[in-house]
């Protein structure tokens, strides 16, 4: 649908071009008129030409007001466009002579009435063109003034007042119980400030929400405004920063002036790190505009002026880059960490997003929450939305576990590369690699549960193994980390034992394992070097940190760190080798089943380990083996089914 405002703007944009077109047409008209030669004759000259039969055309206009005839005409020998003009006395005798000459010499004679005798025609002919020019000039000048007005508003605040009738409340925010408790005081203050003032309590002027992306920081700020039922201004940190120094500071001043007029109210600044970075840092020195804007924000929050009834809520994913002056008491007094939800929080979030979705019988939100550790609120919403889209694409009435599994894979790894072709040798390598991860996960006591194994390529991976912790922990033990490294090395170990050859498929596993091992030695104190921290998390060069990183240990200790890392990796590799050799039959069973089915779920893996075979196949194509699917495809005369993978055959069967 096209907006009416856009239509009006488009019409205004055409006015200058229309005005220019009129000018061009007028110029051409006058040039054309000037190019026509007009000869002025006297009465006697005209009468002589008339008697000598030199006239070929006459046009007579009666001018009653002037008591004359205005005569225009063409004489013999005139060029194209050339005419003569003469005034004759207004009398019957003159008109009689003209008519007799026309009858005698047979030239064209046209007689017209005087148009000037009509007042309406006089207005149209004389006033209307001038009126059109005045209107066009007014429109052009008003357009210019509107542009100047917008330039005068350059320093005005870009903060918008949220006038949504569909208010967000705490009922729309799930999984953030402690965070909501922290913010309830703000709501009580905005509703009843006298209750706090009686006891001399000062409500926090600013609340900083920080945490990973997608955890609900913006939603939480909207819910506070909705619960308090007060004006809610929202703006992004980047809206303050402009090319010219001082513009951002002017916008900050204007924003607080608007907020004072509507106090009590809330101001929400999203991505405050865009304007609140530490001053005087970085390789290129300071940033004058951003620093001026930050200085003004600091002054407005806790300076000489009082901003009673105004509470600022800011959100960022990077609290480490903020200026310390922003975080001191009196400015952002309260800092609330919005972490990734735990299993209970994920269940509540899924409940909110599943309200308008039809889930198949047997699907419980509690089980879905256990299968999605590390997912943010935004990830969970995307997960259910992707599952719903897949169900619609497959013409299903409800969302089944098959769609949820596929949606989980899409969120984590991206869509499956169904059209990707690789050789049977590659498929076998990937199958044994992923089976090696699965065997380690099944046999280690403290290892994570194997939820899914697949050899269908996604993203940059030829296959992957989804492993979920048996229970979520705040801290990891040394045993947990060692078993995690062992699990990561399971794929390479399976390749070595089965094929006597190694591939490049384990490069990502090595990256993760090396990182864990180095952290154990240099950060966690989990090595023979003792409880010492040799390194810290690296900072950002552009904040002026770690450009010339000081080394807190000698070269001898650096060598010992390398030796300890190598020892940890070698011990884990040795442990993985022992487990794989003891369970070669299980490795082969899982790998051969993967080659047949391409994807195995937790339930199928558990049944396979216990019974040595897959459960009975039902009518669900997803649960069938590749061999059976190819047989069905052959019976239905699907060409090249023997060369298709499982996903391609299912797609053809569903047509």
């Amino acid at each position: 649908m096209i907006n009416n405002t856009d239509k009006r703007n488009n019409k205004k944009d055409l006015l200058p071009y229309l005005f220019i077109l009129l000018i061009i047409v007028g110029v051409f008209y006058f040039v054309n008129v000037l190019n026509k030669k007009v000869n002025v004759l006297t009465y006697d000259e005209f009468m002589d030409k008339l008697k000598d039969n030199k006239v070929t055309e006459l046009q007579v206009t009666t001018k009653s007001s002037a008591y004359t005839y205005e005569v225009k005409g063409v004489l013999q020998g005139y060029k194209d466009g050339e005419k003569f003009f003469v005034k004759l006395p207004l009398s019957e005798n003159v008109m009689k002579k003209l008519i007799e000459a026309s009858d005698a010499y047979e030239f064209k004679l046209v007689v017209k009435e005087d148009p000037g005798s009509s007042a309406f025609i006089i207005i149209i002919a004389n006033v209307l063109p001038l009126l059109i020019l005045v209107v066009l000039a007014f429109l052009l000048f008003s357009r210019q003034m509107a542009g100047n007005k917008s330039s005068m508003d350059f320093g005005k605040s870009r903060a918008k007042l949220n006038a949504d009738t569909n208010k967000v409340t705490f009922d729309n925010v799930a999984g953030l119980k402690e965070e909501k408790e922290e913010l309830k005081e703000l709501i009580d203050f905005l509703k009843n400030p006298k209750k706090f003032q009686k006891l001399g309590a000062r409500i926090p002027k600013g609340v900083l929400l920080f945490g990973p992306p997608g955890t609900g920081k913006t939603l939480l700020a909207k819910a506070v405004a909705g619960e308090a039922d007060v004006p809610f201004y929202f703006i992004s940190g980047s809206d303050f920063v402009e090319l010219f120094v001082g513009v951002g500071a002017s916008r900050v001043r204007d924003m607080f002036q608007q907020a004072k007029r509507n106090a009590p109210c809330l101001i929400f600044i999203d991505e405050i790190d865009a304007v609140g970075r530490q001053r005087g840092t970085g390789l290129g020195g300071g940033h004058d505009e951003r620093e001026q804007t930050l200085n003004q924000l600091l002054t407005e929050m806790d300076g000489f002026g009082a901003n009673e009834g105004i509470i600022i809520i800011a959100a960022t994913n990077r609290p480490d880059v903020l200026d310390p002056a922003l975080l001191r008491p009196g400015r952002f007094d309260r800092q609330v960490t919005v972490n990734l939800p735990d299993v209970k929080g994920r269940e509540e979030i899924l409940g909110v997003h599943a309200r308008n979705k039809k889930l198949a019988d047997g699907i419980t939100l509690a089980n879905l929450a256990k299968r999605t550790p590390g997912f943010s609120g935004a990830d969970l919403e995307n997960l259910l939305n992707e599952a719903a889209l897949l169900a619609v694409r497959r013409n299903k009435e409800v969302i089944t576990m098959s769609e949820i599994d596929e949606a989980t894979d899409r969120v984590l790894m991206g869509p499956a590369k169904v059209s990707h072709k690789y050789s049977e040798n590659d498929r076998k390598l990937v199958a044994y690699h992923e089976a090696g991860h699965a065997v380690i996960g099944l046999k280690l006591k403290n290892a994570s549960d194997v939820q899914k194994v697949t050899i269908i390529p996604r993203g940059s991976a030829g296959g992957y193994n989804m492993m979920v912790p048996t229970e979520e922990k705040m801290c990891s033990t040394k045993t947990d980390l060692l078993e995690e490294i062992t699990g990561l090395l399971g794929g390479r170990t399976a390749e070595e034992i089965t094929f006597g050859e190694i591939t490049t498929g384990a490069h990502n596993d090595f990256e993760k394992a090396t990182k864990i091992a180095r952290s154990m030695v240099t950060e966690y104190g989990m090595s023979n070097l003792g409880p010492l921290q040799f390194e810290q998390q690296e900072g950002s060069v552009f904040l002026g940190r770690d450009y010339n990183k000081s080394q807190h240990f000698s070269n001898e200790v650096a060598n010992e760190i390398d030796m300890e890392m190598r020892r940890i990796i070698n011990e884990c590799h040795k442990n993985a080798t022992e487990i794989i050799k003891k369970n070669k039959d299980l490795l082969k069973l899982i790998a051969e089943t993967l080659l047949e089915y391409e994807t195995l779920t937790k339930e199928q893996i558990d049944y396979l380990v216990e019974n040595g075979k897959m459960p009975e196949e039902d009518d669900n194509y997803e649960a069938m083996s590749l061999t059976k699917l190819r047989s069905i495809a052959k019976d239905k005369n699907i060409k090249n089914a023997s060369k298709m993978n499982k996903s391609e055959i299912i797609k053809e069967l569903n047509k």
Side-chain angles (χ1 to χ4, degrees), residues 37-48:
K37 186 176 180 181
V38 178
N39 301 311
V40 180
L41 303 179
T42 64
Y43 176 79
D44 293 334
E45 289 175 342
F46 172 72
M47 296 306 293
D48 291 341

Side-chain angles (χ1 to χ4, degrees), residues 444-557:
L444 288 178
K445 293 181 181 180
N446 298 321
S448 302
D449 286 338
V450 180
Q451 292 289 331
K452 186 176 184 179
V453 185
T454 180
I455 59 172
I456 298 176
R458 290 179 184 271
S460 59
Y464 78 97
N465 194 320
M466 183 191 296
M467 301 180 71
V468 176
T470 54
E471 60 179 4
E472 295 184 32
K473 302 177 182 179
M474 291 292 294
C475 299
S476 298
T477 65
K478 182 178 179 180
T479 302
D480 293 336
L481 296 176
L482 290 174
E483 291 192 354
E484 186 175 353
I485 295 174
T486 305
L488 289 168
L489 299 176
R492 166 59 67 86
T493 305
E495 295 175 10
E496 293 173 340
I497 293 174
T498 305
F499 303 103
E501 186 62 271
I502 56 178
T503 68
T504 59
H507 71 281
N508 186 250
D509 298 332
F510 294 157
E511 179 183 351
K512 295 178 181 178
T514 304
K515 185 176 180 180
I516 295 172
R518 187 166 190 86
S519 297
M520 289 177 66
V521 177
T522 61
E523 295 181 40
Y524 307 146
M526 294 181 178
S527 70
N528 294 334
L529 297 182
L532 296 173
Q533 189 176 64
F534 298 101
E535 293 178 351
Q536 296 177 348
Q537 293 291 334
E538 292 184 357
S540 175
V541 171
F542 297 100
L543 288 174
R545 303 175 186 167
D546 304 313
Y547 185 66
N548 293 317
K549 188 175 180 181
S550 58
Q551 186 171 317
H552 300 295
F553 47 84
S554 64
N555 292 333
E556 289 78 6
V557 174

